Amino acid sequence: MSDKYDVIVVGGGPAGYVGAIRAAQLGMSVACVDDWRDGKGKPALGGTCLNAGCIPSKVLLESSELYHRTREEFAGHGIMIPEVKLDLDAMQDRKNRIVRQLTTGINALFRANGVTAYNGRGKLLAGRQVEVTPQDGDPHLLHAEHVILAAGSLPVELPIAPFDGEYIVDSEGALEFDRPPQRLGVIGGGVIGLELGSVWNRLGSEVTILEAMDRFLFMADSQVAREAQRQFKRQGLDTRLGAKVESARRVDDHVEVRFSDREGDHHITVDKLVVAVGRRPATEGLIDESAGIVLTGRGHVQVDENCRTSADGVWAIGDLVRGPMLAHKGSEEGMMVAEMIAGRSAEVNYGAIPSVIYTSPEIAWVGQTEEELQQSGQAYKVGAFNMAANGRAKAMAQAAGLAKFLSDPDTDAILGVHIVGPMAGELIQEAVLAMEFEASTEDLQRTVHGHPTLCEALHEAALSVDKRAIHAINR
Ligand code: NAD
């Protein structure tokens, strides 16, 4: 194996492995250094997303949703199932199998594209050298013309609730419970808190979410967030807003949590506590001082709009750098950087990155929220359409939610699209494409949408911007 490459990528998650494959497709010699090992101690590519994040959580969201619907909703369709039993071991086995299939799939893609994988910790030294330290072996040096740092992020740990791996766990631990905790506490009502809270709620846990902010899902459009909050409350998710957690302490086989909110001091006892208060860039031990890389005050690797760092020939992408911590944002940056190294022009449109929360109903958006438009003083016109009037959503018995359009009153440009409803994560892609192609609201209004489909709700929301919705009263 040579130790000289055109490109070395440090990190094999969705940012790094995608960048590595694209660079190889463009004719470069590429190495990818990654130190993840699976539960059996075997090297596993794919990073947090495939091994312990997006994929396993979506598998459990799907399984738990089916379990919940079978128990609670099938009778409404006239399907009578006398006894529905949960086999959590089988559910977890299925999850692990899917993760294994996808992570080994990356190995196959690397082989097919000629990317060399190194299992070990990578550290950037001066002069675009990368020191690779395998778990059981001596460090060795690799050299490259270009290095792409893509080491991802780690869960933020709260000093008042340190992880113990058994009772107080991070998002990864919360995917591995061998039985539904009777009482589950979650600190942080963000994306992970809501997704994992939903999984265990559906499987029978009593879930309490403690969220520091006064507003539910403060990053989402508030109309959409309010509707989502209403639905989650109906499902039994107990979310306490404005909660200041003072302490979390394991006592025997449970955890005592003390917190205060506007109503005073509270104390709850839970069997497991998940801490999901955000993630931080994984820069520790990644960069030698001599490499000349500058970090921002928030701990990100400082980069320009094309992901160039302060060191010549060194790039950084994904969760290590500014912007939302989303797998698809990292993947696009990986492709952009590979193209730029190959001398092509490339860019990421940061204004059209979709966000999706895979709860039920799903929540998805692209562009600006109504509050952001108000704060920036940007004029806007707004249209919304309730899923309750969408035939397909009714047929699916999932007619909760709405689609909302925000448009520029002068240019008719689409400024933001927000959806809470069934398959919102799929529906939003129409809006992303429209924004990417700079379609006007009228373009969407004039686009034929199949009937009966969920995306008709988006069509009607676009029509409603100009008070033209057909299946709603325009106000
Ligand atoms: P998040 O930023 O989505 O939410 C963290 C929440 O914790 C916020 O609402 C915040 O107000 C709250 N919080 C912070 N400190 C707190 C405290 N001391 N007490 C109570 N609440 C507190 O972060 P996350 O849910 O941990 O997710 C981490 C990252 O992973 C995010 O960037 C997220 O976008 C990403 N992620 C994305 C998906 C997806 O795309 N579906 C899924 C999982 C994770």
Side-chain angles (χ1 to χ4, degrees), residues 366-420:
V366 59
Q368 300 178 77
T369 63
E370 193 165 352
E371 293 69 39
E372 284 167 345
L373 294 175
Q374 283 165 355
Q375 276 158 22
S376 67
Q378 155 92 51
Y380 62 90
K381 46 184 183 173
V382 56
F385 187 78
N386 286 327
M387 288 290 173
N390 177 276
R392 186 72 195 277
K394 276 254 185 261
M396 293 165 71
Q398 293 184 46
L402 60 102
K404 174 173 177 177
F405 244 81
L406 296 158
S407 306
D408 189 306
D410 300 322
T411 65
D412 204 33
I414 303 166
L415 302 173
V417 177
H418 305 268
I419 308 172
V420 51

Side-chain angles (χ1 to χ4, degrees), residues 58 158 187-193 195 210-213 218-219 276-279 325-326 356 358:
K58 260 81 270 175
L158 289 177
I187 306 184
V191 184
I192 292 178
E195 289 185 353
L210 304 175
E211 165 57 45
M213 303 292 280
F218 64 93
M219 61 285 222
V277 294
R279 298 178 64 88
M325 286 186 169
L326 297 171
V356 184
Y358 295 86

Side-chain angles (χ1 to χ4, degrees), residues 61-74:
L61 277 156
E62 189 65 31
S63 298
S64 60
E65 173 72 0
L66 287 176
Y67 175 70
H68 170 82
R69 297 194 74 198
T70 312
R71 279 166 58 104
E72 309 291 333
E73 294 178 15
F74 274 26

